[in-house]
Amino acid sequence: MGGGDEHGASARLESILTDSSAPRAERMWAAGAIELGMLLRLAVPAVIMYMINFLMSMSTQIFSGHLGSLELAAASLGNTGVQMFAYGLMLGMGSAVETLCGQAYGGHKYDMLGTYLQRSAVILCCTGIPLAVIYAFSEPLLLLLGQSPEIARAASIFVYGLIPQIFAYAINFPIQKFLQAQSIVLPSAYISTAALVLHLLLSWVVVYKVGLGLLGASLVLSLSWWVIVVAQFAYIIMSPMCRRTWTGFTIKAFSGLPEFLKLSAASAVMLCLETWYYQVMVLIAGLLPNPELSLDSLSVW
């Protein structure tokens, strides 16, 4: 949905509500229909986009499961027990952009949207560095948490391939919020759909034909996320709808970082609590008497 469509619908909505010649009930029904249409045009592509992002991770676990029960348990532990930590943190911190970009867009300070996007990307990329270190030492950390040595070793191999995904998150989530603040959601849905098709094809080739196993599966997942990032950024650069909000890279992205970090951290707390509970459940499943079976069952569920 573009900005012109939104403004046109808003104008019709205002016209209906201010038309005192029509009965009140009739105006309310007509206004409600317009408002519902506006919400659906925004919500449906956004829901599709997030569902497809989830399907990419889920399909990676499915491909890993065809390699064996140990590989499925390792992918479940790595994808949910470790990767979910970074996902929740990055999504939460990136959500700060939505508030700031919405305020700037409503206040007609269009150039600030691009600045907020870049500032958030800088902070999230810096946050990704310690997360990458955690990923690199995932095996001893999982052992410290009481996970099975065999599963922890296999999960660490899977997690190594997810390190590039951290930095894809760092750029992708600010881009998504940047576009959503302008009511631009349909292009992201199209891009995510195309990325899912590519992801399935590449996963089949890399895992089964090339035989790269768990590492190959997770590397393809990271690559698919980078495809989404590059495609969305290309859209921002080339689309006339973003001409006022993206004016190129600016040094202002490196100013005001401490204040932006505080806002991002506060935003992260809320969403992290929503995403980490499932991560904790997976880690607890790995402590059960038969961790391989427990993690496999949880993956299927």
Side-chain angles (χ1 to χ4, degrees), residues 73-297:
S76 176
L77 185 59
N79 203 30
T80 307
V82 178
Q83 177 260 358
M84 189 63 71
F85 176 78
Y87 180 88
L89 183 62
M90 290 295 190
L91 177 60
M93 294 183 70
S95 296
V97 179
E98 189 171 17
T99 301
L100 294 173
C101 284
Q103 292 174 349
Y105 193 76
H108 304 290
K109 297 179 180 179
Y110 300 116
D111 60 309
M112 288 304 298
L113 272 77
T115 302
Y116 290 143
L117 165 60
Q118 295 171 61
R119 195 172 292 169
S120 179
V122 169
I123 289 178
L124 265 64
C125 283
C126 291
T127 305
I129 295 174
L131 289 176
V133 174
I134 293 175
Y135 276 38
F137 291 94
S138 56
E139 182 178 356
L141 289 173
L142 289 172
L143 290 174
L144 185 64
L145 293 172
Q147 302 299 313
S148 163
E150 188 178 20
I151 297 177
R153 190 175 305 111
S156 66
I157 295 174
F158 182 85
V159 169
Y160 294 154
L162 296 179
I163 292 177
Q165 185 190 48
I166 298 173
F167 299 97
Y169 284 162
I171 302 175
N172 177 72
F173 292 136
I175 286 178
Q176 284 184 355
K177 303 307 180 182
F178 168 86
L179 292 172
Q180 288 175 10
Q182 304 171 68
S183 300
I184 303 174
V185 289
L186 201 55
S188 294
Y190 288 142
I191 290 170
S192 295
T193 303
L196 176 62
V197 175
L198 178 65
H199 173 74
L200 294 174
L201 178 61
L202 288 177
S203 295
W204 178 76
V205 171
V206 170
V207 175
Y208 298 138
K209 298 302 179 181
V210 181
L212 291 183
L214 279 174
L215 181 61
S218 57
L219 283 172
V220 170
L221 181 58
S222 294
L223 175 62
S224 299
W225 272 92
W226 272 107
V227 168
I228 293 175
V229 169
V230 172
Q232 287 186 133
F233 188 63
Y235 173 83
I236 290 173
I237 294 176
M238 295 185 295
S239 173
M241 297 177 64
C242 299
R243 192 165 296 159
R244 293 182 300 175
T245 54
W246 177 261
T247 56
F249 294 100
T250 174
I251 195 66
K252 291 193 295 183
F254 297 94
S255 64
L257 292 180
E259 293 78 12
F260 202 94
L261 177 60
K262 291 179 182 178
L263 181 62
S264 298
S267 176
V269 170
M270 296 181 290
L271 285 177
C272 284
L273 295 176
E274 296 179 11
T275 57
W276 288 352
Y277 79 95
Y278 188 61
Q279 177 191 16
V280 172
M281 185 166 61
V282 170
L283 292 173
I284 292 175
L287 302 177
L288 295 176
N290 191 341
E292 187 174 320
L293 178 61
S294 301
L295 289 169
D296 287 350
S297 301

